[in-house]
Amino acid sequence: MLARRALWLPSAALLAAGLVAPLLRVLAEGAGGFDLALLLDPYLGWRVAWSLIQATVTCALALVFGLPLAWALARFDFPLRAFVLRALMLPFVMPTLVAAIGVLALFGPHGVTGLNLQDTPWLLLYGNLFYNLPLVVRAGVDGFAAVPASQLAAARTLGASRLRAFWRVEWPLVRPWLASALCLVFVYCFAGFGLALLLGGQRYATVEVEIYTLVAYELNFADAGLLALLNLVVSFAVALAYAWRERTLAVALKVERLAPQKPRTLAERLALAAALSTLLFTSFAPLAAVAASGLSAGWDVWRGLWSEEGRLAAFNTLRFTALATLCAGLFGVAHALAARRSLVWRAAANLPFIVSPVCVAFGLLLLYPAYAASLPLLLAAYVLLAYPFVAKSLAAALDAEPPELARAARTLGASPWRAFRRVRWPLLRPALSRGLAFAAATAVGEFAVTLFLSRPEWLTLTTWIYQLLGRPGSANLAAAQALATVLMALSLVAFWLIERQTDHARTR
Amino acid sequence: MLELVDVRKRYGGRVVAEAVSLALAPGELVALLGPSGCGKSTLLNMVAGLVAPDAGEIRFAGARVDALPPERRGFALMFQDFALFPHLDVLDNVAFGLVERRVPRAAARERARRELAAVGLAGFETRRVAALSGGEKQRVALARALATDPRLLLLDEPFSSLDAHLRASLQVATRQRLAEAGIPALLVTHDRDEALAMADRVAVLDAGRVAQLSPAAELMAKPANERVARFLGLANVTGLGYWPQAALRLGSGGDARVLAATPRAGGLTLELALPEGRFVLELSAREAAALAEPPTVGARVPVTLDAAAFCRFGAGA
């Protein structure tokens, strides 16, 4: 049983050395040069203010659009409904660079709409909604689905109109789901890096981008430290609120759910059409734009990708992804098994999700300057960002495992190992594959940490896209768009793998 | 065959088994009857080897089995929710235990097919278990348990998730199938009628002890004490004993007032005020129809109490 006790060691070491220690180092850096006057500086002050503003506005927009959208998806039945509900997960596996290029392809300087929104706040807000509207809608649909049909029926028979029933029965039940989703949206937007770097421009970039600029171009660690400190304080405060909310989400499993109904009146049809169009516009249009620009790029552009640079980037992306996924699998399995006994440990798996990759990378640079350009450090950062997907997916599957099944196998003559091999493993495998696919998608699309820690010879597909975007000329833009199409295709493969495993789990 | 000697088990301060002793004869079906949460299932899990007892011995055919892991005991357990394996089809579920015993795959499937046919599920081989009805699941679980030729079958409330009508027919079918196979069985249930319908003998569990062990036919006639009598749902129970229905003589004079009348499936239950006190009288439909005055509340019914018929607890049990 010593082996079982030691299961928490690998991920504990990784979290301590790769996350907690670097963050503490960042905090020390920020507190050491602590000078509030810096915030009074109009330039930095505006960065902080805008980071808060764009996160708040995104939350407000996501709620205003997301609530009716979630209601429509939860209550109306329409062709391809199951497909749309699953496709809501798609943005989660899309690299930020793909989304950013999609947004630029629509509303950038050479966008297909002809509407150039560069150097306005709208590009970033649009990009934020691409990721976060589906998150809120997803939470809302889950929340509405958890409303027992009998409670709604009771409200209606007690004299409540449809609207009053929504207000007095559905809304109070859905509110905690939305609140917890909005906490996440706020953290993601506030600590967002990739989108803000590409879409924010000079004026509408966020604190994260500023940290990167200060560190990478000005070597001004003191100011960067202060900003990172601010960032962490805000992120952790919101993450705590999230954790507190999350506790109150009780999922009653045996609730008789309200079956979605076909829209009957014209008003209902219009409402549904409006909901689906909004979703198409925010979360699928950018992807379609990427695909369109990539496919129309022409043969020369595609052949140009197969340069020495391109082969290096592809090789590195594959190499890092393969290694990171493998390690994420090992750490994730160990963490999930250790988390069976401890709630704290279970919560620890969320830690890499809430801290910003930029802060972690900055901390790693500060803490291990000697290894700043070493492959193990870069890989450790990849694994740190990827392994929680495996840990969480597997931990959920372990929770859902009915204990009688293994017992039944034992009474039918199976030894503990045989019971694992023939009953538990086949039932856990889909969850593991799902987690691994998520981890791989994370590694493929990783951008922030790679930009911080990478050396020129470690060019990956994402950092190469970023370099291409920085070079002048339409040829470079076309190459970046073609590359983004490749990345998107890789992410779609990951998404397909994830959904296939979900299917397996669902048919049971 | 199976013998429990002084088996004890506690979870923290909760007593699950306090010196439980019990013996099963070959081919016998014994029911463990007790209220929900009294530890019946834990007792079954201890026999199966899934839970270790704190003290006591479990023997089978004279040999101790306490130290054996569940897979080496040769006892099959049927779970309350059947615990069918969702990733295997019906046939592979039934063949599961045979594969564990290294029966070649073709032979295992052939045997599994015969077991399925024996429970009336020929043709269900390739179905997914999620697509089965409750009654079909129960029969697959029975076939799976019996396919391994277990030395003993353990049944953990195997009918409780089924509706009443289905339950009755499956109880009969299961009992028949067990008799054919000649396997001793231990059935855990909280349902008195199920215990009576299935078992040769019934052990009533109370607070971790066997409060009464008697043949099914005698269970209702000779309850061991007041708690058992009340748990079994007997009427007219006092601290010392109870008045059987035969003690209430109908049509022999007397003049009892009806305090309450409740119809039931086979007749009518009356609450009567007799000179000796209040009594519950169960009338069959025929008896109720034969009364001169319809037995509504406030009516008079000719009933007297035969004091000699009083049954004292513990007498002859």
Side-chain angles (χ1 to χ4, degrees):
Chain A
M1 289 302 94
L2 201 63
R4 187 165 286 181
R5 295 257 164 80
L7 278 173
W8 60 275
L9 275 174
S11 45
L14 184 67
L15 283 176
L19 195 102
V20 178
L23 290 185
L24 290 176
R25 182 67 186 78
V26 168
L27 291 182
E29 186 78 18
F34 193 75
D35 184 3
L36 262 187
L38 206 62
L39 287 183
L40 297 177
D41 170 56
Y43 176 76
L44 287 183
W46 163 247
R47 278 279 176 272
V48 174
W50 169 245
S51 293
L52 292 169
I53 291 170
Q54 56 95 24
T56 312
V57 171
T58 306
C59 281
L61 289 175
L63 181 62
V64 168
F65 289 118
L67 180 63
L69 243 161
W71 189 84
L73 291 188
R75 296 287 179 250
F76 287 134
D77 189 22
F78 52 90
L80 295 180
R81 177 171 181 269
F83 174 79
V84 171
L85 286 180
R86 290 155 156 236
L88 284 176
M89 288 292 289
L90 188 56
F92 286 91
V93 296
M94 276 300 147
T96 45
L97 276 175
V98 174
I101 287 193
V103 171
L104 286 173
L106 286 173
F107 298 113
H110 311 284
V112 290
T113 57
L115 187 64
N116 182 3
L117 295 178
Q118 194 148 47
D119 298 317
T120 70
W122 299 110
L123 281 188
L124 179 57
L125 289 175
Y126 184 36
N128 280 347
L129 278 183
F130 168 82
Y131 279 107
N132 294 303
L133 187 63
L135 190 85
V136 172
V137 170
R138 185 89 219 177
V141 170
D142 286 349
F144 280 119
V147 176
S150 58
Q151 289 192 15
L152 266 182
R156 296 299 296 278
T157 55
L158 291 170
S161 67
R162 195 165 176 173
L163 197 65
R164 293 285 299 168
F166 172 82
W167 184 240
R168 295 187 62 195
V169 176
E170 287 181 282
W171 170 244
L173 286 169
V174 171
R175 203 172 42 198
W177 293 79
L178 293 174
S180 70
L182 287 176
C183 287
L184 284 183
V185 170
F186 190 90
V187 170
Y188 288 158
C189 293
F190 181 72
F193 174 68
L195 283 180
L197 181 68
L198 268 75
L199 302 178
Q202 292 293 324
R203 182 152 172 74
Y204 297 105
T206 57
V207 169
E208 298 285 297
V209 177
E210 193 57 37
I211 295 173
Y212 169 66
T213 317
L214 286 171
V215 172
Y217 295 107
E218 301 175 21
L219 298 177
N220 182 349
F221 284 14
D223 289 3
L226 175 66
L227 288 180
L229 172 75
L230 250 174
N231 190 334
L232 287 177
V233 169
V234 173
S235 297
F236 269 101
V238 181
L240 276 183
Y242 169 75
W244 180 74
R245 283 254 65 128
E246 187 86 319
R247 275 188 324 130
T248 63
L249 293 188
V251 185
L253 282 177
K254 286 192 176 158
V255 159
E256 170 118 17
R257 293 166 166 202
L258 202 61
Q261 296 196 330
K262 288 199 163 44
R264 278 164 305 187
T265 62
L266 181 66
E268 285 182 345
R269 289 209 187 95
L270 285 176
L272 181 61
L276 291 176
S277 318
T278 312
L279 205 56
L280 273 179
F281 173 70
T282 56
S283 295
F284 297 100
L287 297 182
V290 170
S293 65
L295 294 177
S296 65
W299 178 237
D300 284 343
V301 174
W302 282 95
R303 207 176 43 195
L305 294 183
W306 196 245
S307 59
E308 201 180 327
E309 230 178 355
R311 287 197 294 271
L312 180 69
F315 172 64
N316 279 333
T317 292
L318 286 180
R319 180 165 70 130
F320 294 165
T321 302
L323 279 172
T325 308
L326 183 71
C327 297
L330 298 176
F331 281 97
V333 169
H335 193 124
L337 292 174
R340 300 204 75 177
R341 282 127 199 264
S342 143
L343 273 178
V344 177
W345 208 230
R346 189 162 292 225
N350 287 317
L351 215 50
F353 288 149
I354 51 172
V355 300
S356 85
V358 168
C359 286
V360 174
F362 180 35
L364 288 171
L365 271 185
L366 287 172
L367 195 61
Y368 313 108
Y371 300 94
S374 76
L375 197 56
L377 191 68
L378 183 70
L379 260 183
Y382 266 71
V383 174
L384 192 65
L385 296 176
Y387 97 86
F389 288 105
V390 181
K392 286 182 68 102
S393 174
L394 195 60
L398 284 169
D399 281 350
E401 202 182 23
E404 315 84 63
L405 289 185
R407 295 177 154 198
R410 295 293 301 281
T411 61
L412 290 167
S415 63
W417 161 246
R418 291 282 298 170
F420 175 79
R421 174 77 197 73
R422 291 191 66 201
V423 176
R424 298 186 59 199
W425 171 244
L427 294 173
L428 292 175
R429 196 179 47 208
L432 183 66
S433 310
R434 248 163 77 83
L436 286 174
F438 266 116
T442 307
V444 166
E446 213 303 314
F447 174 56
V449 166
T450 321
L451 204 59
F452 251 81
L453 298 180
S454 176
R455 293 195 300 195
E457 67 265 33
W458 294 345
L459 192 69
T460 63
L461 290 178
T462 50
T463 49
W464 193 29
I465 291 179
Y466 182 60
Q467 287 185 11
L468 286 171
L469 285 177
R471 295 175 197 166
S474 60
N476 282 321
L477 178 65
Q481 287 174 333
L483 263 185
T485 313
V486 173
L487 265 190
M488 187 171 79
L490 286 176
S491 307
L492 283 174
V493 170
F495 181 71
W496 174 73
L497 285 173
I498 292 164
E499 280 301 317
R500 209 176 53 128
Q501 297 305 339
T502 314
D503 259 353
H504 276 271
R506 216 172 274 159
T507 50
R508 284 175 187 148
Chain B
M1 301 292 308
L2 179 73
E3 222 181 317
L4 304 185
V5 184
D6 224 14
V7 171
R8 291 161 193 267
K9 180 77 188 174
R10 283 168 179 270
Y11 284 119
R14 199 168 71 90
V15 178
V16 173
E18 182 84 26
V20 172
S21 297
L22 190 70
L24 259 69
E28 187 186 32
L29 198 158
V30 170
L32 292 171
L33 178 64
S36 302
C38 78
K40 314 181 292 282
S41 294
T42 310
L43 204 56
L44 211 57
N45 282 337
M46 287 194 279
V47 175
L50 296 166
V51 171
D54 294 340
E57 291 181 14
I58 301 172
R59 300 169 171 276
F60 193 87
R64 285 191 67 163
V65 293
D66 320 57
L68 291 177
E71 66 269 19
R72 307 245 322 266
R73 294 194 184 192
F75 304 163
L77 173 55
M78 243 176 97
F79 291 79
Q80 190 167 357
D81 62 358
F82 311 129
L84 300 180
F85 303 126
H87 58 298
L88 302 177
D89 65 13
V90 166
L91 189 67
D92 282 341
N93 260 285
V94 178
F96 187 96
L98 296 167
V99 172
E100 288 308 317
R101 283 166 179 72
R102 298 175 195 284
V103 176
R105 194 157 282 259
R109 294 212 159 144
E110 186 45 46
R111 172 70 201 270
R113 241 176 234 117
R114 270 187 283 133
E115 285 297 335
L116 275 176
V119 294
L121 287 180
F124 278 63
E125 286 82 358
T126 55
R127 299 262 187 110
R128 297 201 72 87
V129 294
L132 300 178
S133 71
E136 287 160 357
K137 281 183 184 159
Q138 194 270 349
R139 287 186 280 163
V140 172
L142 180 65
R144 183 175 75 174
L146 293 181
T148 54
D149 292 323
R151 304 194 289 171
L152 170 71
L153 183 64
L154 304 168
L155 301 150
D156 188 357
E157 309 235 2
F159 307 102
S160 64
S161 62
L162 308 173
D163 64 54
H165 181 69
L166 191 60
R167 193 184 307 159
S169 72
L170 281 173
Q171 280 166 355
V172 173
T174 304
R175 180 151 197 190
Q176 264 176 8
R177 185 74 196 84
L178 283 179
E180 281 166 29
I183 298 169
L186 196 56
L187 166 78
V188 152
T189 181
H190 65 264
D191 178 347
R192 177 195 73 188
D193 294 337
E194 181 168 303
L196 292 174
M198 297 281 296
D200 299 309
R201 286 189 298 155
V202 178
V204 181
L205 289 180
D206 182 27
R209 292 173 184 274
V210 177
Q212 177 170 6
L213 177 61
S214 53
E218 291 176 21
L219 179 73
M220 301 298 286
K222 294 177 183 167
N225 59 41
E226 185 186 353
R227 281 172 63 88
V228 171
R230 291 195 189 277
F231 173 69
L232 292 174
L234 288 172
N236 308 321
V237 176
T238 73
L240 295 173
Y242 80 104
W243 299 93
Q245 285 296 306
L248 295 160
R249 296 239 171 112
L250 192 61
S252 57
D255 185 28
R257 196 157 53 88
V258 176
L259 298 172
T262 313
R264 60 189 156 75
L268 198 60
T269 301
L270 300 181
E271 196 179 332
L272 301 175
L274 267 74
E276 292 86 351
R278 290 184 167 205
F279 287 86
V280 172
L281 173 69
E282 284 164 6
L283 291 179
S284 70
R286 188 185 305 154
E287 286 165 344
L291 290 173
E293 193 181 348
T296 51
V297 175
R300 301 278 167 170
V301 183
V303 171
T304 52
L305 188 70
D306 176 8
F310 185 70
C311 285
R312 284 184 172 277
F313 292 134

